């Protein structure tokens, strides 16, 4: 009889403990972005100076980072509630489909193939494909790349454009990150790095590369950067577009451009019309 009473008491204590634990968990997860209780995960690049870069001290800088932070703020999240996750070019669609990230701001060019798998807000920047070459080299047109060694990143539109449009005979090397391409260019293993001029400008502006590389100055394509969200999430697209429109209107967009691209003397295009998905 005594044993039965102790067991019943233990069960009661255990149940109360579970209830308290559950309440504590609910309190933590149910807070809004304004209260700092809810997190939002944003996919960015970690290796693109001027756009998306994780610094040695663990901070995040760049135009995409500034755009992402502004959007998150307008969605109701405090700065401490934004978590950045590295999202490489080849992984972006999968990351959204799996729910690994809530949205992606990572030099994500809008095109028909991608638009079948994800939805886009924006565009928020118009860039152009170009080449980064050594300072003593010259490339006057895309055809000059035929027979030369060219580097780009797997999954990027730049790699696809090279073979399809302007240099079918180029020896294309595709790697995981732009940093790998940059190292190959510096060592002479490749003759040029191709991607968007905004990305190349960020690399060329780094102190250790000043004077070593230059942009060829070719506008080989139009790249409209969009913010990717999970397919079918129209509500999120509308909210992000509203945030981007506000960012342009209150001149925060202009400030982000100056802060991140100014040191490279990058001549950016004006802010594109938000909601006008140009592919």
């Amino acid at each position: 009889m005594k044993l039965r009473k102790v067991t019943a008491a233990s069960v009661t204590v255990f149940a109360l403990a579970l209830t308290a634990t559950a309440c504590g968990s609910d309190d933590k997860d149910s807070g809004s972005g304004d209260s700092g209780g809810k997190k939002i995960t944003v996919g960015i690049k970690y290796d693109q100076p001027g756009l998306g870069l994780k610094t040695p001290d663990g901070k995040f800088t760049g135009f995409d980072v500034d755009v992402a932070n502004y959007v998150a703020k307008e969605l109701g999240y405090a700065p401490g509630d934004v978590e950045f996750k590295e999202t490489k070019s080849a992984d972006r669609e999968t990351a959204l489909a799996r729910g690994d990230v809530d949205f992606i701001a990572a030099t994500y060019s809008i095109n028909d193939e991608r638009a079948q798998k994800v939805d886009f807000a924006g565009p928020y920047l118009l860039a152009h494909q170009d080449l980064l070459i050594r300072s003593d080299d010259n490339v006057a047109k895309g055809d000059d790349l035929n027979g030369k060694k060219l580097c780009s990143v797997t999954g990027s539109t730049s790699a696809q454009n090279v073979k399809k449009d302007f240099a079918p005979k180029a020896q294309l090397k595709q790697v995981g990150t732009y940093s790998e391409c940059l190292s190959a260019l510096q060592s002479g293993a490749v003759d040029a790095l191709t991607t968007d001029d905004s990305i190349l400008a960020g690399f060329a502006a780094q102190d250790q590369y000043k004077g070593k590389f230059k942009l060829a100055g070719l506008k080989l394509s139009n790249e409209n950067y969009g913010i990717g969200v999970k397919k079918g999430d129209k509500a999120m697209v509308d909210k992000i577009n509203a945030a981007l429109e506000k960012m342009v209107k209150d001149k925060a967009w202009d400030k982000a451009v100056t802060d991140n691209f100014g040191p490279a003397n990058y001549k950016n295009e004006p802010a594109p019309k938000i909601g006008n998905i140009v592919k």
Side-chain angles (χ1 to χ4, degrees), residues 153-199:
V153 170
T154 303
S156 71
T157 55
S158 300
Q160 301 163 18
N161 291 341
V162 168
K163 282 296 188 182
K164 185 178 72 173
D165 296 330
F166 54 83
K169 295 181 181 179
Q171 300 175 44
L172 181 60
K173 177 182 178 66
Q174 298 187 66
V175 296
T177 66
Y178 291 109
S179 297
E180 294 174 67
C181 279
L182 202 63
S183 296
L185 179 62
Q186 187 172 17
S187 68
V190 299
D191 299 303
L193 159 58
T194 184
T195 188
D196 304 343
D197 52 8
S198 56
I199 299 172

Side-chain angles (χ1 to χ4, degrees), residues 25-92:
S25 178
D26 287 344
D27 289 344
K28 180 179 180 181
D29 294 339
S30 62
S32 68
D34 291 329
S35 67
K38 188 177 180 182
K39 303 290 185 180
I40 187 167
T41 304
V42 181
I44 61 168
K45 296 290 183 63
Y46 276 18
D47 68 334
Q48 293 180 351
L51 284 153
L53 181 70
K54 184 176 182 179
T55 61
D57 59 359
K59 295 180 180 178
F60 299 96
T61 65
F63 183 74
D64 283 348
V65 173
D66 288 349
V67 169
N69 278 325
Y70 190 98
V71 168
K73 173 177 67 74
E74 291 302 309
L75 293 178
Y77 294 90
D81 296 333
V82 181
E83 296 181 340
F84 289 113
K85 183 179 181 66
E86 183 176 23
T87 313
K88 296 181 180 179
S89 294
D91 301 332
R92 289 177 293 205

